[in-house]
Amino acid sequence: MNPSSATAPNTNEYAGDEISAIVLDPGYSSTRAGFAGEDIPKSVIPSYYGIAPTASGSSQYLFGENSIHNPLPNLEIKNPWSSDGIVEDWDTATKLWEYAITSRLTGQRPTDPTKNGLNDGTNGEGNGQMDVDMDGLDDAEKPLAESPLLMTEPGLSSAKAREKYIEIAMEDWGTPAFYLGKTGVLAAFASGKASGIVIDIGASTTTVTPIVDGLVLKKGVQKSPLAGNYMSNQLRLIFAQSQPPVPLTPHFMVASKSPVDAGAPAQAIYKKFEVPPTASFRRFEEERVLTEFKESVVETWTGPNRLSVPGTEESLKNAPGRPFEMPDGYNQLFSAERFKVAEGLFDASSALHDPDNPRPKDEQTIPRMVQAAIHHIDVDLRPIILGNVIITGGASLTYRIMDRINAELSQMFPAPRIRLIAPGNTIERKYAAWIGGSILASLGSFHQLWISKKEYEEHGPSIIDKRIK
Amino acid sequence: MATRRDIQDIIGLPGGGDTPAPKKRAKTAGPQKKLHGVNREVAALYGERPPPVAVYEEKKTYRAKRANLGPVRPWIQQPFTNPARTDGLVLKHWRRKPTARPNIENGGDTAMEDADNQSPQLETDYEYARFNVDVSVPSYTDEEYEAHLRSNEWSREETDYLLELAKDFYLRWPVIHDRYEFQSAKAEPADDAASAGDSILENPTDALSTLPYNSSLPRDPRSIEDLKARYYFVWETTLKLHRPPEAMESSEFELLEVLHSYNPDSEHVRKRIALALMSRPLDEVKEEEFLLAELQRINIAANRLDAERAELRERLEAPTPQRDLGPAGPLGNFQSSQALTALFQQLFQQDRSKKRASGSGRLSLSAGDIIGTPTAAQQAAYNAAAGSRKASMAHPPPPQPQLRALSAAEERRYGVSNHDRLTSGVSFGSDKLVKMRQAKSGVQTQKIAAVLAQLGFGDIITIPTARVGAAFEGLVAKVGKLLDLRKVREKEENEVKVLDGMRAKRAGEDPAATGSAPPQHGRDSTETQERDMKQEERDESLMEQSIADSTVGAETTYAEDGEGGDDAEGEEDDAEGEEDADGETNATSTRQVSEAVSTRAATTPAASVKAGHKRSASVLSAGSTRSRASTKRARK
Ligand SMILES: Nc1ncnc2c1ncn2[C@@H]1O[C@H](COP(=O)(O)OP(=O)(O)OP(=O)(O)O)[C@@H](O)[C@H]1O
Ligand SMILES: [Mg+2]
């Protein structure tokens, strides 16, 4: 048989065997879901959700990119995750994740239309509300009755959280088989590595996970809040502290704008709202602007010295700046400021702080976390581990952060060569854990590892600790 | 290894100043090229960074025309069970719908439809189940444990726990150690063991206490080595219990040995040393890298120098003009350099065309290739010249089928000798021997003769073979040294005498002593003379001994020759060898020696660096091989 698009690839080549499993990788900033065996997650939704009161007095949940950016009156934007990267609001998280799965992948089960909540007040595709009453469904009608589910969990999750995951998957979604993979391990798999140290710079947390033969060395896992959200907060501080302060106006407030000179006050016509949008909504929208700023202006300082070394910052003043225009037309050339944002990830002493944003601890910086993680690793393994430093997470896309990590680590571990591994592709960097899960769940030899419904029924949720160590 | 700096030097660019420019250009080129689907102006806004949204360009690629594979064969969701599982989980994967054979035979589409309606068969032999490998860990009964495995440091529960973890984590010790969380009241014995281990390793501990993070954490109650040691002990013991070592197969026994030889203490020491090696400061690592680079540079320079020197030597030893033929001979035309070049070109062309056939290098130009040298004598002369040239070059001669390499023993047996350069004409071995007896001054010559006579050497040595000549040469050299020594001693003694005289004179100021001084002196001198004599005797006996040694050597070689059976032939060969050697040989050899010395002088720093480096490198590699070996062992 000659290979063409009509023939399936030879599964023996990669030991693949797809069983239509679903991979779900929930994170603080976005939730990724898709079918195992695919290259990228088909369904990526923000982990923030909207909650708005309805006329009847109950509250309505809004999920998905298309429904939460609308400035509805009294719309609150929330996140089921706590700011330290642990799921807090399990009920909403369950709904959110279910939305991620059902909106694009499995579709709604043909359940009683009055029960599934889809028909009250939907205004367009993707604006589903998942106010689903689960008790009324029996197994065959549950959203995942046909698909095994692989979920990811952060490196340091408690036994309770793990039991909760399997409970949701088995009881709420009725999945026939379940598996829980650690984001670190999966990200390493996505880079084709079974041993190494994964530095995942996400939104809420930066996690450093040492991995040996696909197993996490638990004692070595390090976690810190210095990640994407921290960088956003640094930006807010920088904007507030600069002279004059840089106004941060989100898109939804601007009706029209006209060009102004750099640094001049914005000349824009602002929208009028009968009920002003809530603070949480505004903050969420500001975050979008900040992310844009991080993507296009922020750069990691790569030396020769750290920024905190006296004189270094002054020399930056005349460095060429990068322009940025706010949604209201205010624009400015940012030079020294853009280097300060990520500096705290490497040097806690140069982090900006105020009462709301306390100075980070020295142990929370990336170099110190790697050092602490490496300390737990057997000497014989260190050369292998240091030769496979895998970098993932959305915030690792910060410009030139790789160079800085490389410099810091090489300084700290001169002897065995440091080798950084990071997918160059934006998508692969952001979704590394999902991609690793997709690879894993489509391997023929993996299918013996699933926890089946039968096992769950026999042993209860505690099986997760027995089976997946 | 032409670095950028080298190239800059060659082109004459100033180094250093323009470093960043090419680097930057190279960097920006990458991502910009990738952005095909975006407007150039838009792409320029991003600068060097990747766009936040990945841009994929839908490229039209060539697709093979869909082959006609016959009728559509449907796919089905085939349920299957995995024999590697115990719970009978049924999963579904996409498979081609099986076309049942009887259907084809019946040729009925109706049968196909029947198959459509059937629910697919459950597949039970899952191909990937074979990847389900399990480790087997040693097991023991209660009695066995009580009898053989009891330990003060390990309780039964903890041993069981260890074995369970080992099974769970497939003997991946770093992971087992990481997950090891045995809680027990008995923590003290382990601590004792740990401190005992520490006292053994006092020195490394001291050296390591300066490390940034070593001191911060308390020592593990159970180190990886402790776990391994216990596990290996249990394994070894159970292995022995199940089958006595005498009855084991060799592989089993080897395993036993490996298990037995595991030594946690030495592993510990090794790891500490490895750690110290890894935590060297940046300077040291840089220095090592620098030295490595330097070594490489020196090696390359030395090689180049050698090559250049060899080439030079080759040029210096161009074929000697054939004197015998004279200007009128056929080669007379080739005396100007242009003519020679033309000849060379010609020869080279011919040689090239023949090379494929003969398969050897340029030096394989055989006499037959030379136009106008038809006589056998000339051929032989040319061959000899070519041969000598070859030998004088550093490279091994190109393989020639007619030459057989002789071993040292064979050479001795057949009396073959190699010479750097042979000159024409006949010379006799005995001449050489005679020459050796002669020194620069007549007095010295006489003295040598006297010593030789004293040793019982006649004027004529009967069979002056090459080896006898060599032995004699050594002897004469020793005699020369002896004479030198004597001279020095005489000088010293004279000085002593003079000094004695001065002392006597000073003593002589005492009037009574004046008369007695000379006799005293005389006595002294006789004494010294006597001492002299004795010394001489001793020297001579030494000499004799050494000569005896060398003659014995010579005799044995004769004997060997005799054994070889062809005495006469061997001698003939020797004679030939002698014949060719004359004064020039000496000249060449001295030149070569001096060259060699100068080469050595030039390469000494390199050599010393190399030696020094080699040492450190070997330490390193020893460490790493050892660690590798141990990990291998651990895996086992
Ligand atoms: N190009 C970029 N440059 C800088 N930061 C970026 C870029 N793209 C995304 N980010 C930041 O990365 C973060 C999102 O990363 P990621 O999707 O890995 O987080 P997550 O997995 O959802 O969160 P967590 O791992 O903390 O649960 C956000 O804070 C976002 O602002
Ligand atoms: Mg993440």
Side-chain angles (χ1 to χ4, degrees):
Chain A
M1 239 195 274
N2 64 332
S4 78
S5 56
T7 58
N10 185 1
T11 47
N12 292 331
E13 276 170 27
Y14 57 100
D17 187 19
E18 288 169 24
I19 56 163
S20 334
I22 282 178
V23 180
L24 176 68
D25 173 30
Y28 181 94
S29 81
S30 65
T31 299
R32 286 118 345 206
F35 285 107
E38 293 184 334
D39 292 342
I40 49 166
K42 268 214 174 84
S43 164
V44 179
I45 61 159
S47 295
Y48 292 90
Y49 66 96
I51 184 162
T54 52
S56 61
S58 65
S59 48
Q60 181 195 22
Y61 287 95
L62 298 173
F63 299 117
E65 197 81 65
N66 291 341
S67 48
I68 56 175
H69 295 298
N70 201 2
L72 299 177
N74 300 320
L75 172 66
E76 295 275 0
I77 299 294
K78 290 187 177 171
N79 195 318
W81 295 74
S82 75
S83 60
D84 54 354
I86 291 169
V87 179
E88 245 176 10
D89 179 358
W90 283 98
D91 292 341
T92 321
T94 309
K95 290 176 192 160
L96 180 80
W97 298 339
E98 188 177 326
Y99 173 80
I101 293 169
T102 53
S103 64
R104 296 267 165 97
L105 306 177
T106 59
Q108 290 295 327
R109 297 278 128 199
T111 50
D112 186 356
T114 55
K115 272 188 184 165
N116 68 9
L118 277 178
N119 283 349
D120 32 66
T122 35
N123 44 5
E125 189 230 6
N127 191 10
Q129 306 107 321
M130 298 316 306
D131 206 358
V132 184
D133 181 11
M134 284 298 167
D135 298 334
L137 306 173
D138 67 290
D139 263 13
E141 289 168 339
K142 286 178 181 174
L144 280 178
E146 305 229 312
S147 319
L149 175 71
L150 187 146
M151 256 183 104
T152 69
E153 58 164 348
L156 283 176
S157 56
S158 62
K160 238 183 89 197
R162 292 163 60 104
E163 291 185 5
K164 192 79 190 163
Y165 282 123
I166 192 170
E167 234 177 274
I168 293 170
M170 290 288 178
E171 285 172 14
D172 293 357
W173 300 338
T175 180
F178 179 77
Y179 194 82
L180 199 56
K182 296 219 181 277
T183 47
V185 177
L186 297 179
F189 286 168
S191 293
K193 302 286 173 187
S195 298
I197 187 162
V198 181
I199 305 177
D200 177 0
I201 314 175
S204 60
T205 46
T206 293
T207 324
V208 174
T209 321
I211 291 165
V212 173
D213 289 339
L215 291 161
V216 172
L217 295 185
K218 280 187 178 161
K219 287 173 189 154
V221 178
Q222 311 287 322
K223 193 176 117 170
S224 101
L226 303 184
N229 292 344
Y230 158 83
M231 279 157 68
S232 299
N233 291 340
Q234 288 285 297
L235 260 180
R236 288 175 191 271
L237 285 177
I238 288 170
F239 287 167
Q241 286 173 10
S242 62
Q243 288 303 330
V246 178
L248 181 58
T249 320
H251 286 274
F252 77 93
M253 292 175 65
V254 182
S256 73
K257 63 177 177 183
S258 42
V260 292
D261 283 343
Q267 289 183 355
I269 299 163
Y270 296 96
K271 279 188 185 154
K272 301 256 181 330
F273 297 98
E274 276 173 32
V275 187
T278 59
S280 65
F281 182 78
R282 186 185 163 125
R283 195 179 165 86
F284 174 59
E285 292 299 313
E286 282 173 359
E287 195 65 36
R288 287 176 101 190
V289 180
L290 293 176
T291 295
E292 223 170 276
F293 190 92
K294 285 193 282 184
E295 284 168 354
S296 54
V297 179
V298 171
E299 179 169 341
T300 316
W301 178 246
T302 50
N305 290 317
R306 288 183 164 184
L307 271 187
S308 58
V309 174
T312 313
E313 208 180 318
E314 280 65 50
S315 70
L316 274 176
K317 291 261 150 59
N318 356 339
R322 279 183 78 87
F324 186 78
E325 187 182 302
M326 292 289 171
D328 60 358
Y330 173 90
N331 66 89
Q332 180 65 279
L333 214 56
F334 295 90
S335 53
E337 299 89 337
R338 67 199 188 97
F339 290 105
K340 282 197 219 159
V341 180
E343 185 69 12
L345 263 59
F346 301 94
D347 180 5
S349 69
S350 57
L352 301 173
H353 48 92
D354 69 356
D356 290 340
N357 300 283
R359 178 188 183 279
K361 295 193 195 78
D362 287 328
E363 307 87 75
Q364 292 175 332
T365 61
I366 291 175
R368 290 287 295 272
M369 284 201 291
V370 174
Q371 187 178 48
I374 293 285
H375 177 223
H376 286 277
I377 295 173
D378 191 52
V379 177
D380 291 346
L381 286 173
R382 285 188 199 181
I384 302 167
I385 299 288
L386 288 173
N388 293 298
V389 181
I390 297 148
I391 306 209
T392 71
S396 75
L397 288 166
T398 308
Y399 187 50
R400 298 190 75 180
I401 205 168
M402 302 279 290
D403 297 348
R404 178 65 179 269
I405 294 176
N406 195 14
E408 293 274 348
L409 295 190
S410 308
Q411 173 87 28
M412 194 177 284
F413 304 102
R417 263 240 178 290
I418 301 277
R419 212 160 63 87
L420 298 195
I421 295 162
N425 182 321
T426 317
I427 297 284
E428 282 173 26
R429 191 86 72 81
K430 272 188 184 167
Y431 307 145
W434 186 91
I435 294 169
S438 166
I439 294 170
L440 187 63
S442 60
L443 288 180
S445 48
F446 172 75
H447 299 325
Q448 68 182 63
L449 296 177
W450 295 103
I451 299 177
S452 68
K453 190 159 197 85
K454 192 173 159 201
E455 283 173 298
Y456 175 78
E457 276 159 6
E458 262 172 40
H459 302 273
S462 64
I463 180 133
I464 193 106
D465 256 352
K466 259 182 245 138
R467 283 288 309 280
I468 301 170
K469 305 209 175 187
Chain B
M1 188 185 62
T3 62
R4 188 175 52 82
R5 209 169 343 127
D6 293 348
I7 295 166
Q8 273 177 341
D9 279 350
I10 294 166
I11 314 174
L13 285 175
D18 56 337
T19 331
K23 235 187 184 175
K24 258 204 180 137
R25 218 177 303 132
K27 251 193 178 167
T28 47
Q32 269 177 3
K33 234 179 265 162
K34 272 191 236 149
L35 286 176
H36 273 305
V38 183
N39 255 342
R40 191 153 40 92
E41 291 79 9
V42 177
L45 287 178
Y46 290 118
E48 299 161 22
R49 47 186 93 207
V53 180
V55 180
Y56 284 104
E57 200 191 357
E58 187 70 28
K59 252 201 226 133
K60 283 201 183 100
T61 48
Y62 172 77
R63 269 195 209 169
K65 200 179 166 204
R66 211 189 132 177
N68 189 5
L69 302 169
V72 174
R73 288 193 294 151
W75 292 78
I76 48 159
Q77 285 248 293
Q78 169 78 50
F80 67 96
T81 55
N82 189 339
R85 302 186 64 98
T86 52
D87 58 354
L89 172 69
V90 178
L91 299 168
K92 289 178 183 168
H93 53 192
W94 286 103
R95 283 293 124 110
R96 270 268 149 77
K97 185 166 179 174
T99 39
R101 222 152 270 290
N103 291 348
I104 297 164
E105 280 167 11
N106 298 342
D109 278 351
T110 48
M112 279 285 281
E113 271 162 32
D114 282 353
D116 267 347
N117 299 334
Q118 281 163 16
S119 65
Q121 287 276 304
L122 189 69
E123 192 184 294
T124 48
D125 53 336
Y126 188 54
E127 56 177 322
Y128 295 106
R130 65 196 154 93
F131 291 112
N132 183 29
V133 281
D134 237 344
V135 283
S136 62
V137 297
S139 59
Y140 41 77
T141 61
D142 290 349
E143 296 85 59
E144 280 170 354
Y145 187 89
E146 286 304 313
H148 303 280
L149 294 166
R150 284 180 62 90
S151 152
N152 289 335
E153 290 171 24
W154 290 80
S155 63
R156 169 77 195 256
E157 293 75 39
E158 194 172 359
T159 310
D160 290 346
Y161 176 75
L162 172 69
L163 293 188
E164 194 185 317
L165 274 190
K167 193 172 165 61
D168 280 352
F169 294 113
Y170 292 80
L171 295 180
R172 290 183 175 96
W173 290 103
V175 183
I176 294 170
H177 180 242
D178 178 64
R179 308 293 171 90
Y180 198 86
E181 270 166 4
F182 186 74
Q183 254 94 43
S184 153
K186 266 185 167 185
E188 291 79 32
D191 279 346
D192 278 355
S195 58
D198 272 350
S199 65
I200 300 167
L201 315 161
E202 230 170 313
N203 284 340
T205 323
D206 285 350
L208 296 170
S209 60
T210 51
L211 295 181
Y213 42 76
N214 200 47
S215 49
S216 57
L217 272 123
R219 197 178 181 286
D220 292 320
R222 292 262 187 242
S223 70
I224 243 181
E225 287 77 28
D226 295 339
L227 301 182
K228 277 191 193 173
R230 177 65 178 168
Y231 183 83
Y232 293 156
F233 172 73
V234 172
W235 194 358
E236 184 193 342
T237 313
T238 48
L239 264 185
K240 276 195 222 155
L241 280 177
H242 295 170
R243 198 185 299 183
E246 303 81 54
M248 278 184 187
E249 282 167 25
S250 66
S251 62
E252 269 180 307
F253 192 71
E254 272 166 29
L255 173 67
L256 199 69
E257 300 244 285
V258 169
L259 291 177
H260 189 74
S261 59
Y262 182 79
N263 180 353
D265 290 340
S266 66
E267 275 292 282
H268 222 99
V269 175
R270 181 184 67 72
K271 282 195 181 167
R272 278 172 180 258
I273 293 170
L275 185 67
L277 184 71
M278 266 177 225
S279 24
R280 282 175 304 168
L282 188 61
D283 302 348
E284 280 179 30
V285 177
K286 283 248 173 77
E287 192 177 319
E288 187 187 320
E289 269 169 21
F290 170 77
L291 284 179
L292 274 172
E294 194 72 353
L295 171 69
Q296 199 184 1
R297 205 179 56 74
I298 290 171
N299 277 345
I300 288 168
N303 284 347
R304 202 170 47 206
L305 199 70
D306 279 354
E308 276 169 8
R309 200 162 274 161
E311 196 188 309
L312 192 67
R313 222 172 284 145
E314 209 173 309
R315 277 177 203 217
L316 284 176
E317 286 162 15
T320 42
Q322 313 236 327
R323 285 173 243 132
D324 330 32
L325 293 169
L331 289 180
N333 310 335
F334 302 118
Q335 279 192 331
S336 74
S337 65
Q338 278 155 335
L340 272 175
T341 326
L343 173 67
F344 174 75
Q345 287 296 336
Q346 198 183 352
L347 291 176
F348 188 60
Q349 287 302 331
Q350 282 179 357
D351 188 46
R352 254 230 298 246
S353 57
K354 292 205 173 182
K355 207 190 287 177
R356 263 160 237 123
S358 71
S360 48
R362 181 161 79 85
L363 288 168
S364 69
L365 265 182
S366 72
D369 293 330
I370 300 169
I371 326 136
T373 51
T375 63
Q378 281 164 358
Q379 270 187 26
Y382 192 86
N383 276 344
S388 76
R389 227 187 311 148
K390 240 172 278 158
S392 69
M393 277 185 303
H395 351 273
Q400 284 194 333
Q402 70 266 36
L403 282 186
R404 188 161 63 91
L406 295 178
S407 72
E410 278 173 328
E411 279 186 357
R412 216 175 314 125
R413 184 173 158 194
Y414 299 129
V416 176
S417 61
N418 289 312
H419 299 269
D420 281 344
R421 175 172 289 199
L422 297 178
T423 43
S424 57
V426 180
S427 69
F428 293 99
S430 52
D431 287 353
K432 218 173 158 190
L433 292 187
V434 169
K435 234 179 233 172
M436 277 179 213
R437 289 170 180 241
Q438 282 159 4
K440 275 184 200 128
S441 67
V443 186
Q444 183 79 351
T445 312
Q446 276 172 12
K447 275 187 190 163
I448 291 174
V451 174
L452 286 179
Q454 201 179 358
L455 291 171
F457 280 89
D459 281 348
I460 293 166
I461 289 160
T462 31
I463 309 174
T465 59
R467 229 160 298 113
V468 172
F472 190 72
E473 198 175 351
L475 171 65
V476 171
K478 278 180 184 159
V479 169
K481 253 184 229 159
L482 171 68
L483 292 176
D484 284 350
L485 278 176
R486 271 192 198 166
K487 221 198 267 165
V488 170
R489 203 192 53 195
E490 262 164 35
K491 218 173 92 193
E492 296 277 308
E493 272 168 7
N494 277 338
E495 258 173 54
V496 170
K497 265 183 214 160
V498 171
L499 288 176
D500 270 353
M502 276 161 69
R503 196 181 58 189
K505 229 183 190 173
R506 225 177 293 145
E509 274 160 26
D510 178 4
T514 334
S516 63
Q520 211 180 12
H521 184 91
R523 205 187 61 209
D524 265 6
S525 72
T526 48
E527 255 176 35
T528 43
Q529 263 172 10
E530 268 172 25
R531 232 187 302 137
D532 254 16
M533 297 281 275
K534 267 184 215 154
Q535 172 92 40
E536 235 163 84
E537 269 168 36
R538 219 180 310 137
D539 283 357
E540 273 154 21
S541 68
L542 263 176
M543 279 306 293
E544 262 161 286
Q545 202 183 328
S546 74
I547 287 160
D549 280 354
S550 54
T551 39
V552 166
E555 266 163 19
T556 44
T557 54
Y558 287 145
E560 273 171 33
D561 277 350
E563 265 166 22
D566 263 329
D567 244 351
E569 202 185 270
E571 270 164 31
E572 242 173 50
D573 278 353
D574 276 349
E576 263 175 43
E578 302 289 295
E579 197 178 344
D580 295 327
D582 71 10
E584 225 185 317
T585 329
N586 281 334
T588 357
S589 64
T590 36
R591 199 181 66 200
Q592 278 177 349
V593 165
S594 70
E595 241 176 19
V597 168
S598 70
T599 335
R600 217 177 302 144
T603 50
T604 328
S608 60
V609 167
K610 203 195 277 182
H613 180 73
K614 249 188 200 153
R615 213 176 32 206
S616 78
S618 69
V619 168
L620 267 175
S621 66
S624 64
T625 43
R626 226 183 315 147
S627 73
R628 229 173 296 135
S630 74
T631 41
K632 254 187 221 153
R633 204 178 332 152
R635 275 204 205 114
K636 265 187 207 157

